[in-house]
Amino acid sequence: MLTVVTGDAGHYCSKKTDNICDHLCCQESGRAMARLRCMLKGLDLKTCIFLFAMVPTCVFGIYLHGQKISYFLRPLWESPPKPFHEIPHYYSENVSMEHLCKLHGWGIREYPRRVFDAVLFSNEIEILTIRWKELYPYVSEFVLLESNSTFTGKPKPLVFAANRAQFKFVEPRLTYGTIGGRFKKGENPFVEEAFQRVALDHLLKIAGISEDDLLIMSDVDEIPSRHTINLLRWCNDIPSILHLRLKNYLYSFEFLKDHNSWRASVHRYQPGKTKYAHYRQSDEILADAGWHCSFCFRRISEFIFKMKAYSHFDRVRFSYYLDPKRVQRVICKGDDLFDMLPEEYTFKDIIGKLGPIPHSYSAVDLPAYLLENADKYKFLLPGNCLRESG
């Protein structure tokens, strides 16, 4: 027997399809509110309180940590990129250049190539100084483009122009240009970034770059070591596009994140073909070729400016991220300014990098000018995480 007939032959409840409804529920089964009451009749008070408390909590938790959840689940929806072909890097100051080229499988040139170092500049005065001092012996022309706009379309002062007197040592080899921002509200910041990189292509032509010159493509804070550039300018048969694997630091040279910075590259310039870019352009990469020091600023205000100005400004999901006291705490702890999980492609790598970056107390094999002027650049060395406020 599948049904129970009541005293009113016109109404019945099916035990097979609805085991929580009673006579009243079935009479009003066509109404939405009645159905809801019908469902709730089968729940006790504790269960109802639990549901009403947990559902909003879960929604609020997803709102706060949705980005973390997305990054943690990244291995489920994105495959890792194709591995680079890693070229071992050989160097010692007492080994001849001819022998170093031979160790890499390359020949030696009769004379070195010219080298052009081209960067887009925002406000990184200290890191630019360290970069140019490191590369100065081997760079033929320094090319710098500055805009009065951030990538996010916000006005900015011409910081390099205001501090140009500090860079008299490169003035005879400097090609400096400025470009006006387009200030388009709501536009993807990567569009403005690409616009500025195209302008940098034009500035390189003004600087006089020609076929087979070496062109360094990297952000200001991605610093190739001088011996790496000297090797590439002297050796024959190097790849036409070679990425540089850099030691990846955060906030200072106290927090060594990993050895996986790869966007910096060196190109044998080909007119009409070589375009300035900051993404993967080949499968060849040279190991241990320099340093990437991200968010390595002297002042807390500079951290906050970059957080709002660079292409990933959408990571500032809450205004309290920009609180100076919070920024200072995060720096000294070696934690993430944007409260994000590691950008990795396997659960093993994500879990392995959870938490703050361990402190490093090694200042071995850092840019020479940094160590020669340690008092001036103390904030970039181990044990000196406190920043100026202004």
Side-chain angles (χ1 to χ4, degrees), residues 109 111-117 138-141 175 204-216 229 232-234 238 266-269:
R109 294 169 55 87
Y111 55 89
R113 296 181 182 86
R114 294 195 304 166
V115 179
F116 286 70
D117 180 41
Y138 305 124
V139 169
S140 308
E141 193 73 14
T175 300
L204 279 164
K205 294 175 183 177
I206 295 174
I209 196 168
S210 58
E211 187 166 3
D212 207 42
D213 288 338
L214 285 188
L215 171 59
I216 304 172
I229 299 305
L232 297 177
R233 75 188 190 118
W234 270 108
I238 66 171
V266 175
H267 299 240
R268 292 167 55 185
Y269 189 78

PDB file of all heavy atoms in Angstrom, residues 109 111-117 138-141 175 204-216 229 232-234 238 266-269:
ATOM      1  N   ARG A 109      84.105  36.048 -29.191  1.00  0.00           N
ATOM      2  CA  ARG A 109      84.119  37.076 -30.224  1.00  0.00           C
ATOM      3  C   ARG A 109      85.448  37.831 -30.226  1.00  0.00           C
ATOM      4  O   ARG A 109      86.174  37.844 -29.224  1.00  0.00           O
ATOM      5  CB  ARG A 109      82.974  38.068 -29.993  1.00  0.00           C
ATOM      6  CG  ARG A 109      81.592  37.470 -30.155  1.00  0.00           C
ATOM      7  CD  ARG A 109      80.529  38.441 -29.660  1.00  0.00           C
ATOM      8  NE  ARG A 109      80.618  39.742 -30.321  1.00  0.00           N
ATOM      9  CZ  ARG A 109      80.024  40.058 -31.474  1.00  0.00           C
ATOM     10  NH1 ARG A 109      79.288  39.149 -32.100  1.00  0.00           N
ATOM     11  NH2 ARG A 109      80.150  41.261 -31.992  1.00  0.00           N
ATOM     12  N   TYR A 111      85.488  41.075 -30.550  1.00  0.00           N
ATOM     13  CA  TYR A 111      85.179  42.284 -29.770  1.00  0.00           C
ATOM     14  C   TYR A 111      83.759  42.128 -29.219  1.00  0.00           C
ATOM     15  O   TYR A 111      82.923  41.414 -29.796  1.00  0.00           O
ATOM     16  CB  TYR A 111      85.294  43.549 -30.629  1.00  0.00           C
ATOM     17  CG  TYR A 111      84.457  43.533 -31.882  1.00  0.00           C
ATOM     18  CD1 TYR A 111      83.137  43.993 -31.873  1.00  0.00           C
ATOM     19  CD2 TYR A 111      84.973  43.029 -33.084  1.00  0.00           C
ATOM     20  CE1 TYR A 111      82.361  43.963 -33.013  1.00  0.00           C
ATOM     21  CE2 TYR A 111      84.199  42.991 -34.225  1.00  0.00           C
ATOM     22  CZ  TYR A 111      82.889  43.459 -34.184  1.00  0.00           C
ATOM     23  OH  TYR A 111      82.118  43.416 -35.327  1.00  0.00           O
ATOM     24  N   PRO A 112      83.450  42.785 -28.113  1.00  0.00           N
ATOM     25  CA  PRO A 112      82.128  42.581 -27.484  1.00  0.00           C
ATOM     26  C   PRO A 112      81.015  43.326 -28.220  1.00  0.00           C
ATOM     27  O   PRO A 112      81.251  44.340 -28.893  1.00  0.00           O
ATOM     28  CB  PRO A 112      82.327  43.155 -26.080  1.00  0.00           C
ATOM     29  CG  PRO A 112      83.380  44.195 -26.246  1.00  0.00           C
ATOM     30  CD  PRO A 112      84.311  43.671 -27.304  1.00  0.00           C
ATOM     31  N   ARG A 113      79.794  42.812 -28.094  1.00  0.00           N
ATOM     32  CA  ARG A 113      78.629  43.508 -28.621  1.00  0.00           C
ATOM     33  C   ARG A 113      78.334  44.752 -27.785  1.00  0.00           C
ATOM     34  O   ARG A 113      78.676  44.822 -26.602  1.00  0.00           O
ATOM     35  CB  ARG A 113      77.376  42.607 -28.571  1.00  0.00           C
ATOM     36  CG  ARG A 113      77.427  41.369 -29.435  1.00  0.00           C
ATOM     37  CD  ARG A 113      76.110  40.607 -29.282  1.00  0.00           C
ATOM     38  NE  ARG A 113      76.093  39.381 -30.057  1.00  0.00           N
ATOM     39  CZ  ARG A 113      76.568  38.220 -29.641  1.00  0.00           C
ATOM     40  NH1 ARG A 113      77.110  38.136 -28.434  1.00  0.00           N
ATOM     41  NH2 ARG A 113      76.500  37.157 -30.408  1.00  0.00           N
ATOM     42  N   ARG A 114      77.639  45.709 -28.393  1.00  0.00           N
ATOM     43  CA  ARG A 114      77.103  46.824 -27.610  1.00  0.00           C
ATOM     44  C   ARG A 114      75.900  46.318 -26.811  1.00  0.00           C
ATOM     45  O   ARG A 114      75.191  45.403 -27.236  1.00  0.00           O
ATOM     46  CB  ARG A 114      76.658  47.962 -28.528  1.00  0.00           C
ATOM     47  CG  ARG A 114      77.787  48.629 -29.284  1.00  0.00           C
ATOM     48  CD  ARG A 114      77.317  49.957 -29.863  1.00  0.00           C
ATOM     49  NE  ARG A 114      76.142  49.815 -30.716  1.00  0.00           N
ATOM     50  CZ  ARG A 114      75.375  50.838 -31.124  1.00  0.00           C
ATOM     51  NH1 ARG A 114      75.660  52.074 -30.756  1.00  0.00           N
ATOM     52  NH2 ARG A 114      74.329  50.619 -31.902  1.00  0.00           N
ATOM     53  N   VAL A 115      75.671  46.938 -25.648  1.00  0.00           N
ATOM     54  CA  VAL A 115      74.576  46.540 -24.774  1.00  0.00           C
ATOM     55  C   VAL A 115      73.690  47.743 -24.489  1.00  0.00           C
ATOM     56  O   VAL A 115      74.180  48.819 -24.117  1.00  0.00           O
ATOM     57  CB  VAL A 115      75.099  45.971 -23.429  1.00  0.00           C
ATOM     58  CG1 VAL A 115      73.932  45.582 -22.527  1.00  0.00           C
ATOM     59  CG2 VAL A 115      76.009  44.770 -23.671  1.00  0.00           C
ATOM     60  N   PHE A 116      72.370  47.561 -24.666  1.00  0.00           N
ATOM     61  CA  PHE A 116      71.376  48.582 -24.350  1.00  0.00           C
ATOM     62  C   PHE A 116      70.511  48.062 -23.213  1.00  0.00           C
ATOM     63  O   PHE A 116      69.967  46.953 -23.279  1.00  0.00           O
ATOM     64  CB  PHE A 116      70.497  48.886 -25.573  1.00  0.00           C
ATOM     65  CG  PHE A 116      71.195  49.688 -26.643  1.00  0.00           C
ATOM     66  CD1 PHE A 116      72.213  49.123 -27.410  1.00  0.00           C
ATOM     67  CD2 PHE A 116      70.838  51.005 -26.879  1.00  0.00           C
ATOM     68  CE1 PHE A 116      72.860  49.855 -28.391  1.00  0.00           C
ATOM     69  CE2 PHE A 116      71.473  51.757 -27.862  1.00  0.00           C
ATOM     70  CZ  PHE A 116      72.497  51.185 -28.618  1.00  0.00           C
ATOM     71  N   ASP A 117      70.403  48.866 -22.163  1.00  0.00           N
ATOM     72  CA  ASP A 117      69.553  48.512 -21.017  1.00  0.00           C
ATOM     73  C   ASP A 117      68.344  49.440 -21.021  1.00  0.00           C
ATOM     74  O   ASP A 117      68.474  50.648 -20.808  1.00  0.00           O
ATOM     75  CB  ASP A 117      70.332  48.666 -19.711  1.00  0.00           C
ATOM     76  CG  ASP A 117      69.479  48.317 -18.501  1.00  0.00           C
ATOM     77  OD1 ASP A 117      68.716  47.339 -18.566  1.00  0.00           O
ATOM     78  OD2 ASP A 117      69.565  49.043 -17.491  1.00  0.00           O
ATOM     79  N   TYR A 138      79.450  47.643 -18.433  1.00  0.00           N
ATOM     80  CA  TYR A 138      79.244  46.874 -19.655  1.00  0.00           C
ATOM     81  C   TYR A 138      78.064  47.347 -20.505  1.00  0.00           C
ATOM     82  O   TYR A 138      77.759  46.728 -21.528  1.00  0.00           O
ATOM     83  CB  TYR A 138      79.075  45.390 -19.310  1.00  0.00           C
ATOM     84  CG  TYR A 138      80.219  44.850 -18.494  1.00  0.00           C
ATOM     85  CD1 TYR A 138      80.005  44.250 -17.266  1.00  0.00           C
ATOM     86  CD2 TYR A 138      81.530  44.978 -18.946  1.00  0.00           C
ATOM     87  CE1 TYR A 138      81.069  43.767 -16.508  1.00  0.00           C
ATOM     88  CE2 TYR A 138      82.600  44.502 -18.196  1.00  0.00           C
ATOM     89  CZ  TYR A 138      82.364  43.904 -16.973  1.00  0.00           C
ATOM     90  OH  TYR A 138      83.408  43.443 -16.231  1.00  0.00           O
ATOM     91  N   VAL A 139      77.397  48.416 -20.106  1.00  0.00           N
ATOM     92  CA  VAL A 139      76.260  48.925 -20.877  1.00  0.00           C
ATOM     93  C   VAL A 139      76.699  50.114 -21.722  1.00  0.00           C
ATOM     94  O   VAL A 139      77.305  51.061 -21.214  1.00  0.00           O
ATOM     95  CB  VAL A 139      75.089  49.322 -19.946  1.00  0.00           C
ATOM     96  CG1 VAL A 139      74.017  50.089 -20.717  1.00  0.00           C
ATOM     97  CG2 VAL A 139      74.473  48.069 -19.318  1.00  0.00           C
ATOM     98  N   SER A 140      76.368  50.050 -23.007  1.00  0.00           N
ATOM     99  CA  SER A 140      76.723  51.127 -23.934  1.00  0.00           C
ATOM    100  C   SER A 140      75.750  52.290 -23.854  1.00  0.00           C
ATOM    101  O   SER A 140      76.141  53.451 -24.005  1.00  0.00           O
ATOM    102  CB  SER A 140      76.753  50.585 -25.367  1.00  0.00           C
ATOM    103  OG  SER A 140      77.559  49.432 -25.460  1.00  0.00           O
ATOM    104  N   GLU A 141      74.456  51.978 -23.634  1.00  0.00           N
ATOM    105  CA  GLU A 141      73.433  53.026 -23.584  1.00  0.00           C
ATOM    106  C   GLU A 141      72.332  52.618 -22.613  1.00  0.00           C
ATOM    107  O   GLU A 141      71.800  51.503 -22.694  1.00  0.00           O
ATOM    108  CB  GLU A 141      72.839  53.274 -24.974  1.00  0.00           C
ATOM    109  CG  GLU A 141      72.001  54.521 -25.100  1.00  0.00           C
ATOM    110  CD  GLU A 141      72.817  55.816 -25.097  1.00  0.00           C
ATOM    111  OE1 GLU A 141      74.052  55.729 -25.265  1.00  0.00           O
ATOM    112  OE2 GLU A 141      72.239  56.901 -24.938  1.00  0.00           O
ATOM    113  N   THR A 175      69.681  57.842 -22.702  1.00  0.00           N
ATOM    114  CA  THR A 175      68.585  58.315 -23.555  1.00  0.00           C
ATOM    115  C   THR A 175      67.325  58.286 -22.697  1.00  0.00           C
ATOM    116  O   THR A 175      66.844  57.209 -22.325  1.00  0.00           O
ATOM    117  CB  THR A 175      68.400  57.423 -24.792  1.00  0.00           C
ATOM    118  OG1 THR A 175      69.610  57.436 -25.563  1.00  0.00           O
ATOM    119  CG2 THR A 175      67.256  57.943 -25.655  1.00  0.00           C
ATOM    120  N   LEU A 204      64.124  53.316 -28.129  1.00  0.00           N
ATOM    121  CA  LEU A 204      65.320  52.528 -28.430  1.00  0.00           C
ATOM    122  C   LEU A 204      65.896  52.885 -29.803  1.00  0.00           C
ATOM    123  O   LEU A 204      67.123  52.944 -29.978  1.00  0.00           O
ATOM    124  CB  LEU A 204      64.986  51.036 -28.372  1.00  0.00           C
ATOM    125  CG  LEU A 204      64.960  50.415 -26.980  1.00  0.00           C
ATOM    126  CD1 LEU A 204      64.246  49.068 -26.993  1.00  0.00           C
ATOM    127  CD2 LEU A 204      66.383  50.256 -26.444  1.00  0.00           C
ATOM    128  N   LYS A 205      65.026  53.133 -30.764  1.00  0.00           N
ATOM    129  CA  LYS A 205      65.503  53.536 -32.096  1.00  0.00           C
ATOM    130  C   LYS A 205      66.187  54.893 -32.028  1.00  0.00           C
ATOM    131  O   LYS A 205      67.215  55.124 -32.686  1.00  0.00           O
ATOM    132  CB  LYS A 205      64.334  53.552 -33.076  1.00  0.00           C
ATOM    133  CG  LYS A 205      63.742  52.173 -33.344  1.00  0.00           C
ATOM    134  CD  LYS A 205      62.503  52.245 -34.224  1.00  0.00           C
ATOM    135  CE  LYS A 205      61.889  50.861 -34.407  1.00  0.00           C
ATOM    136  NZ  LYS A 205      60.625  50.911 -35.198  1.00  0.00           N
ATOM    137  N   ILE A 206      65.618  55.796 -31.228  1.00  0.00           N
ATOM    138  CA  ILE A 206      66.252  57.104 -31.042  1.00  0.00           C
ATOM    139  C   ILE A 206      67.630  56.941 -30.402  1.00  0.00           C
ATOM    140  O   ILE A 206      68.587  57.668 -30.726  1.00  0.00           O
ATOM    141  CB  ILE A 206      65.355  58.013 -30.174  1.00  0.00           C
ATOM    142  CG1 ILE A 206      64.045  58.322 -30.908  1.00  0.00           C
ATOM    143  CG2 ILE A 206      66.074  59.301 -29.778  1.00  0.00           C
ATOM    144  CD1 ILE A 206      63.033  59.089 -30.075  1.00  0.00           C
ATOM    145  N   ALA A 207      67.758  55.954 -29.502  1.00  0.00           N
ATOM    146  CA  ALA A 207      69.026  55.712 -28.822  1.00  0.00           C
ATOM    147  C   ALA A 207      70.082  55.125 -29.750  1.00  0.00           C
ATOM    148  O   ALA A 207      71.265  55.099 -29.398  1.00  0.00           O
ATOM    149  CB  ALA A 207      68.801  54.777 -27.636  1.00  0.00           C
ATOM    150  N   GLY A 208      69.662  54.638 -30.919  1.00  0.00           N
ATOM    151  CA  GLY A 208      70.618  54.152 -31.902  1.00  0.00           C
ATOM    152  C   GLY A 208      70.899  52.674 -31.874  1.00  0.00           C
ATOM    153  O   GLY A 208      71.941  52.224 -32.364  1.00  0.00           O
ATOM    154  N   ILE A 209      69.986  51.881 -31.346  1.00  0.00           N
ATOM    155  CA  ILE A 209      70.200  50.440 -31.327  1.00  0.00           C
ATOM    156  C   ILE A 209      70.215  49.898 -32.750  1.00  0.00           C
ATOM    157  O   ILE A 209      69.505  50.393 -33.631  1.00  0.00           O
ATOM    158  CB  ILE A 209      69.121  49.743 -30.469  1.00  0.00           C
ATOM    159  CG1 ILE A 209      69.548  48.316 -30.123  1.00  0.00           C
ATOM    160  CG2 ILE A 209      67.749  49.764 -31.153  1.00  0.00           C
ATOM    161  CD1 ILE A 209      68.697  47.657 -29.052  1.00  0.00           C
ATOM    162  N   SER A 210      71.045  48.884 -32.989  1.00  0.00           N
ATOM    163  CA  SER A 210      71.155  48.319 -34.337  1.00  0.00           C
ATOM    164  C   SER A 210      71.252  46.800 -34.258  1.00  0.00           C
ATOM    165  O   SER A 210      71.318  46.219 -33.156  1.00  0.00           O
ATOM    166  CB  SER A 210      72.367  48.903 -35.072  1.00  0.00           C
ATOM    167  OG  SER A 210      73.558  48.651 -34.356  1.00  0.00           O
ATOM    168  N   GLU A 211      71.299  46.164 -35.404  1.00  0.00           N
ATOM    169  CA  GLU A 211      71.246  44.705 -35.480  1.00  0.00           C
ATOM    170  C   GLU A 211      72.375  44.043 -34.688  1.00  0.00           C
ATOM    171  O   GLU A 211      73.528  44.465 -34.747  1.00  0.00           O
ATOM    172  CB  GLU A 211      71.312  44.253 -36.938  1.00  0.00           C
ATOM    173  CG  GLU A 211      71.103  42.757 -37.105  1.00  0.00           C
ATOM    174  CD  GLU A 211      70.830  42.367 -38.540  1.00  0.00           C
ATOM    175  OE1 GLU A 211      70.858  43.251 -39.413  1.00  0.00           O
ATOM    176  OE2 GLU A 211      70.565  41.171 -38.771  1.00  0.00           O
ATOM    177  N   ASP A 212      72.010  43.019 -33.927  1.00  0.00           N
ATOM    178  CA  ASP A 212      72.880  42.181 -33.119  1.00  0.00           C
ATOM    179  C   ASP A 212      73.414  42.866 -31.862  1.00  0.00           C
ATOM    180  O   ASP A 212      74.208  42.273 -31.128  1.00  0.00           O
ATOM    181  CB  ASP A 212      74.052  41.626 -33.937  1.00  0.00           C
ATOM    182  CG  ASP A 212      74.561  40.304 -33.350  1.00  0.00           C
ATOM    183  OD1 ASP A 212      73.722  39.456 -32.959  1.00  0.00           O
ATOM    184  OD2 ASP A 212      75.785  40.123 -33.255  1.00  0.00           O
ATOM    185  N   ASP A 213      72.985  44.106 -31.602  1.00  0.00           N
ATOM    186  CA  ASP A 213      73.254  44.664 -30.275  1.00  0.00           C
ATOM    187  C   ASP A 213      72.473  43.854 -29.244  1.00  0.00           C
ATOM    188  O   ASP A 213      71.415  43.295 -29.543  1.00  0.00           O
ATOM    189  CB  ASP A 213      72.812  46.126 -30.200  1.00  0.00           C
ATOM    190  CG  ASP A 213      73.709  47.056 -30.994  1.00  0.00           C
ATOM    191  OD1 ASP A 213      74.874  46.691 -31.252  1.00  0.00           O
ATOM    192  OD2 ASP A 213      73.240  48.154 -31.348  1.00  0.00           O
ATOM    193  N   LEU A 214      72.974  43.809 -28.013  1.00  0.00           N
ATOM    194  CA  LEU A 214      72.245  43.139 -26.940  1.00  0.00           C
ATOM    195  C   LEU A 214      71.272  44.120 -26.305  1.00  0.00           C
ATOM    196  O   LEU A 214      71.628  45.260 -25.999  1.00  0.00           O
ATOM    197  CB  LEU A 214      73.198  42.622 -25.858  1.00  0.00           C
ATOM    198  CG  LEU A 214      74.026  41.380 -26.157  1.00  0.00           C
ATOM    199  CD1 LEU A 214      74.736  40.925 -24.899  1.00  0.00           C
ATOM    200  CD2 LEU A 214      73.174  40.256 -26.712  1.00  0.00           C
ATOM    201  N   LEU A 215      70.026  43.675 -26.105  1.00  0.00           N
ATOM    202  CA  LEU A 215      69.000  44.491 -25.463  1.00  0.00           C
ATOM    203  C   LEU A 215      68.508  43.770 -24.214  1.00  0.00           C
ATOM    204  O   LEU A 215      68.004  42.652 -24.291  1.00  0.00           O
ATOM    205  CB  LEU A 215      67.831  44.733 -26.426  1.00  0.00           C
ATOM    206  CG  LEU A 215      66.579  45.383 -25.830  1.00  0.00           C
ATOM    207  CD1 LEU A 215      66.905  46.754 -25.223  1.00  0.00           C
ATOM    208  CD2 LEU A 215      65.479  45.502 -26.880  1.00  0.00           C
ATOM    209  N   ILE A 216      68.664  44.418 -23.057  1.00  0.00           N
ATOM    210  CA  ILE A 216      68.137  43.874 -21.811  1.00  0.00           C
ATOM    211  C   ILE A 216      66.707  44.358 -21.645  1.00  0.00           C
ATOM    212  O   ILE A 216      66.444  45.561 -21.620  1.00  0.00           O
ATOM    213  CB  ILE A 216      68.970  44.339 -20.596  1.00  0.00           C
ATOM    214  CG1 ILE A 216      70.441  43.958 -20.776  1.00  0.00           C
ATOM    215  CG2 ILE A 216      68.418  43.734 -19.300  1.00  0.00           C
ATOM    216  CD1 ILE A 216      71.356  44.560 -19.711  1.00  0.00           C
ATOM    217  N   ILE A 229      76.041  39.853 -18.006  1.00  0.00           N
ATOM    218  CA  ILE A 229      75.989  40.689 -19.204  1.00  0.00           C
ATOM    219  C   ILE A 229      77.337  40.693 -19.918  1.00  0.00           C
ATOM    220  O   ILE A 229      77.397  40.654 -21.162  1.00  0.00           O
ATOM    221  CB  ILE A 229      75.552  42.116 -18.833  1.00  0.00           C
ATOM    222  CG1 ILE A 229      74.151  42.085 -18.210  1.00  0.00           C
ATOM    223  CG2 ILE A 229      75.584  43.030 -20.044  1.00  0.00           C
ATOM    224  CD1 ILE A 229      73.091  41.411 -19.055  1.00  0.00           C
ATOM    225  N   LEU A 232      77.573  37.503 -21.964  1.00  0.00           N
ATOM    226  CA  LEU A 232      76.732  37.474 -23.166  1.00  0.00           C
ATOM    227  C   LEU A 232      77.232  38.417 -24.252  1.00  0.00           C
ATOM    228  O   LEU A 232      77.024  38.169 -25.438  1.00  0.00           O
ATOM    229  CB  LEU A 232      75.285  37.815 -22.787  1.00  0.00           C
ATOM    230  CG  LEU A 232      74.602  36.822 -21.831  1.00  0.00           C
ATOM    231  CD1 LEU A 232      73.200  37.300 -21.466  1.00  0.00           C
ATOM    232  CD2 LEU A 232      74.560  35.424 -22.439  1.00  0.00           C
ATOM    233  N   ARG A 233      77.897  39.494 -23.865  1.00  0.00           N
ATOM    234  CA  ARG A 233      78.376  40.419 -24.899  1.00  0.00           C
ATOM    235  C   ARG A 233      79.647  39.913 -25.572  1.00  0.00           C
ATOM    236  O   ARG A 233      79.963  40.289 -26.698  1.00  0.00           O
ATOM    237  CB  ARG A 233      78.571  41.811 -24.308  1.00  0.00           C
ATOM    238  CG  ARG A 233      79.779  41.998 -23.438  1.00  0.00           C
ATOM    239  CD  ARG A 233      79.809  43.352 -22.740  1.00  0.00           C
ATOM    240  NE  ARG A 233      81.104  43.564 -22.099  1.00  0.00           N
ATOM    241  CZ  ARG A 233      81.938  44.558 -22.425  1.00  0.00           C
ATOM    242  NH1 ARG A 233      81.591  45.447 -23.342  1.00  0.00           N
ATOM    243  NH2 ARG A 233      83.113  44.683 -21.821  1.00  0.00           N
ATOM    244  N   TRP A 234      80.376  39.021 -24.882  1.00  0.00           N
ATOM    245  CA  TRP A 234      81.621  38.501 -25.443  1.00  0.00           C
ATOM    246  C   TRP A 234      81.467  37.180 -26.191  1.00  0.00           C
ATOM    247  O   TRP A 234      82.312  36.813 -27.005  1.00  0.00           O
ATOM    248  CB  TRP A 234      82.661  38.319 -24.334  1.00  0.00           C
ATOM    249  CG  TRP A 234      83.511  39.527 -24.088  1.00  0.00           C
ATOM    250  CD1 TRP A 234      83.470  40.373 -23.025  1.00  0.00           C
ATOM    251  CD2 TRP A 234      84.560  40.019 -24.935  1.00  0.00           C
ATOM    252  NE1 TRP A 234      84.396  41.366 -23.142  1.00  0.00           N
ATOM    253  CE2 TRP A 234      85.089  41.175 -24.317  1.00  0.00           C
ATOM    254  CE3 TRP A 234      85.096  39.608 -26.156  1.00  0.00           C
ATOM    255  CZ2 TRP A 234      86.139  41.921 -24.878  1.00  0.00           C
ATOM    256  CZ3 TRP A 234      86.143  40.348 -26.710  1.00  0.00           C
ATOM    257  CH2 TRP A 234      86.647  41.483 -26.086  1.00  0.00           C
ATOM    258  N   ILE A 238      75.223  32.749 -28.789  1.00  0.00           N
ATOM    259  CA  ILE A 238      74.239  32.731 -27.709  1.00  0.00           C
ATOM    260  C   ILE A 238      72.841  32.742 -28.321  1.00  0.00           C
ATOM    261  O   ILE A 238      72.657  33.183 -29.467  1.00  0.00           O
ATOM    262  CB  ILE A 238      74.423  33.932 -26.758  1.00  0.00           C
ATOM    263  CG1 ILE A 238      74.122  35.245 -27.485  1.00  0.00           C
ATOM    264  CG2 ILE A 238      75.820  33.947 -26.155  1.00  0.00           C
ATOM    265  CD1 ILE A 238      74.079  36.464 -26.574  1.00  0.00           C
ATOM    266  N   VAL A 266      67.357  38.811 -22.347  1.00  0.00           N
ATOM    267  CA  VAL A 266      68.351  39.502 -23.163  1.00  0.00           C
ATOM    268  C   VAL A 266      68.151  39.072 -24.605  1.00  0.00           C
ATOM    269  O   VAL A 266      68.016  37.875 -24.893  1.00  0.00           O
ATOM    270  CB  VAL A 266      69.790  39.175 -22.690  1.00  0.00           C
ATOM    271  CG1 VAL A 266      70.814  39.804 -23.629  1.00  0.00           C
ATOM    272  CG2 VAL A 266      70.003  39.668 -21.260  1.00  0.00           C
ATOM    273  N   HIS A 267      68.119  40.051 -25.522  1.00  0.00           N
ATOM    274  CA  HIS A 267      67.825  39.798 -26.936  1.00  0.00           C
ATOM    275  C   HIS A 267      68.972  40.269 -27.816  1.00  0.00           C
ATOM    276  O   HIS A 267      69.548  41.335 -27.563  1.00  0.00           O
ATOM    277  CB  HIS A 267      66.560  40.553 -27.360  1.00  0.00           C
ATOM    278  CG  HIS A 267      65.334  40.155 -26.616  1.00  0.00           C
ATOM    279  ND1 HIS A 267      64.215  39.630 -27.221  1.00  0.00           N
ATOM    280  CD2 HIS A 267      65.037  40.201 -25.287  1.00  0.00           C
ATOM    281  CE1 HIS A 267      63.286  39.381 -26.308  1.00  0.00           C
ATOM    282  NE2 HIS A 267      63.772  39.721 -25.131  1.00  0.00           N
ATOM    283  N   ARG A 268      69.286  39.483 -28.825  1.00  0.00           N
ATOM    284  CA  ARG A 268      70.136  39.981 -29.908  1.00  0.00           C
ATOM    285  C   ARG A 268      69.212  40.728 -30.860  1.00  0.00           C
ATOM    286  O   ARG A 268      68.375  40.123 -31.531  1.00  0.00           O
ATOM    287  CB  ARG A 268      70.849  38.819 -30.592  1.00  0.00           C
ATOM    288  CG  ARG A 268      71.879  38.147 -29.699  1.00  0.00           C
ATOM    289  CD  ARG A 268      72.354  36.810 -30.241  1.00  0.00           C
ATOM    290  NE  ARG A 268      72.880  36.928 -31.600  1.00  0.00           N
ATOM    291  CZ  ARG A 268      73.274  35.886 -32.333  1.00  0.00           C
ATOM    292  NH1 ARG A 268      73.180  34.653 -31.821  1.00  0.00           N
ATOM    293  NH2 ARG A 268      73.739  36.054 -33.545  1.00  0.00           N
ATOM    294  N   TYR A 269      69.339  42.023 -30.866  1.00  0.00           N
ATOM    295  CA  TYR A 269      68.355  42.895 -31.514  1.00  0.00           C
ATOM    296  C   TYR A 269      68.251  42.619 -33.019  1.00  0.00           C
ATOM    297  O   TYR A 269      69.259  42.507 -33.723  1.00  0.00           O
ATOM    298  CB  TYR A 269      68.729  44.352 -31.294  1.00  0.00           C
ATOM    299  CG  TYR A 269      67.659  45.324 -31.749  1.00  0.00           C
ATOM    300  CD1 TYR A 269      66.535  45.560 -30.967  1.00  0.00           C
ATOM    301  CD2 TYR A 269      67.776  45.984 -32.970  1.00  0.00           C
ATOM    302  CE1 TYR A 269      65.546  46.440 -31.377  1.00  0.00           C
ATOM    303  CE2 TYR A 269      66.791  46.873 -33.396  1.00  0.00           C
ATOM    304  CZ  TYR A 269      65.679  47.091 -32.597  1.00  0.00           C
ATOM    305  OH  TYR A 269      64.703  47.963 -33.010  1.00  0.00           O
TER     306      TYR A 269
END
